[in-house]
Amino acid sequence: MTQNVTEPQTKPLALVTGASSGIGLELAKQFAEHGFDVVVNAEDAGIEKAAMLVQASGAHVIPVQADLRTPEGIEQLWSRVQAIGRPLDAAALNAGVGVGGAFVDTDWARDLEIMQLNVVSTTALLKLVLVEMTARDEGRVLVTSSIASTQPGSYQSIYNASKSFVQSLTEAVQDELKDSAVTVTSLMPGPTDTNFFARAQMLATGMGKGPKDSPEDVARQGFEALMAGEKKVVAASLAVKAVEAMNKVLPDSVKAMGNRVMAKPRD
């Protein structure tokens, strides 16, 4: 909106994608509670309600409903960020979805949407954000990866592969920016109590039925790691941190079998 352009810069500005619920909403709250104004994005109309919740912390919140699965949605979001007329001090690239099921059974259109959102939009926005931040040599980026990036995803193949891409990309960019004041942090949550499993049609799986971390804890640990300039944070519980440690030494065949046990639908 035009009134945003003329507002004085009194607070740092942050961008959070996938912010209508779950980890993204809690990340937006973290930014707001720590003195940031926030641009929040999601594809669904729930982003308006989410913006009101975040605004309760006293932040100025700008909701942008845009579908990042499309080039037009990416452009729409970035144009709104630029129209504010303020430097972007932090970004949390959190939007992502998954789908459960055998690779030969999942719908190709759904697979493609996952890759467009998790891989293409994350990469596009990371490039746009970092081009701006490196030009100023200032800024922080949090990229939501996953513990799934550390293992082959039997019965969750597209999702795990997309997060492996995101994790590899993030680590490469971290190395490229090692002499820069710009930091990039990878947030690697395990199963979290969000609507992810319902949307992925995985409620009847071991993952869907098993214990989950709270999105508040994941977001808090992610925000703290971002502000500390850490390269990655495995969030949130000790159990998830143990899985990440084991995955460093286990062979891929064993990890794939473990993912199959947890992701294959149960009768």
Side-chain angles (χ1 to χ4, degrees), residues 180-194:
S180 166
V182 178
T183 64
V184 181
T185 302
S186 171
L187 172 58
M188 301 175 66
T192 306
D193 190 14
T194 68

Side-chain angles (χ1 to χ4, degrees), residues 68 70-80 82 125 128:
L68 299 184
T70 68
E72 295 79 12
I74 296 169
E75 174 60 28
Q76 179 185 352
L77 172 60
W78 188 243
S79 294
R80 287 291 300 276
Q82 290 184 306
L125 287 171
L128 290 167

Side-chain angles (χ1 to χ4, degrees), residues 30-221:
Q30 285 287 323
F31 280 111
E33 290 167 5
H34 288 85
F36 284 78
D37 288 334
V38 193
V39 179
V40 290
N41 158 258
E43 52 137 355
D44 59 284
I47 195 62
E48 297 288 342
K49 181 179 179 180
M52 294 177 64
L53 293 173
V54 176
Q55 194 167 287
S57 298
H60 178 59
V61 183
I62 304 168
V64 182
Q65 184 178 351
D67 187 351
L68 299 184
R69 294 172 297 184
T70 68
E72 295 79 12
I74 296 169
E75 174 60 28
Q76 179 185 352
L77 172 60
W78 188 243
S79 294
R80 287 291 300 276
V81 171
Q82 290 184 306
I84 297 171
R86 292 164 54 182
L88 189 64
D89 298 280
L93 306 182
N94 170 77
V97 292
V99 64
F103 179 72
V104 296
D105 295 332
T106 54
D107 181 70
W108 170 245
R110 183 78 180 276
D111 293 341
L112 187 58
E113 287 182 351
I114 293 170
M115 290 185 281
Q116 291 284 358
L117 181 61
N118 296 10
V119 174
V120 176
S121 81
T122 300
T123 305
L125 287 171
L126 183 61
K127 184 177 286 288
L128 290 167
V129 167
L130 288 179
V131 166
E132 179 193 283
M133 288 182 175
T134 55
R136 295 182 289 115
D137 199 28
E138 183 180 18
R140 305 173 185 273
V141 183
L142 183 71
V143 181
T144 300
S145 175
S146 171
I147 195 70
S149 69
T150 65
Q151 60 193 58
S154 302
Y155 287 87
Q156 212 180 357
S157 55
I158 300 297
Y159 176 75
N160 284 41
S162 72
K163 290 302 183 179
S164 294
F165 178 97
V166 167
Q167 184 64 26
S168 178
L169 173 68
T170 301
E171 292 176 2
V173 172
Q174 287 171 345
D175 182 69
E176 292 178 7
L177 297 179
K178 64 181 181 179
D179 297 323
S180 166
V182 178
T183 64
V184 181
T185 302
S186 171
L187 172 58
M188 301 175 66
T192 306
D193 190 14
T194 68
N195 62 1
F196 173 88
F197 293 99
R199 292 184 66 182
Q201 299 176 325
M202 295 182 66
L203 291 177
T205 67
M207 287 185 194
K209 295 178 178 180
K212 299 175 182 65
D213 291 329
S214 74
E216 293 89 350
D217 288 344
V218 172
R220 176 179 50 78
Q221 291 186 18

Side-chain angles (χ1 to χ4, degrees), residues 238-260:
L238 291 176
V240 174
K241 299 178 194 297
V243 169
E244 192 263 346
M246 288 189 298
N247 281 351
K248 291 179 179 178
V249 297
L250 290 174
D252 284 348
S253 58
V254 173
K255 292 187 284 187
M257 179 178 64
N259 206 98
R260 169 162 49 85

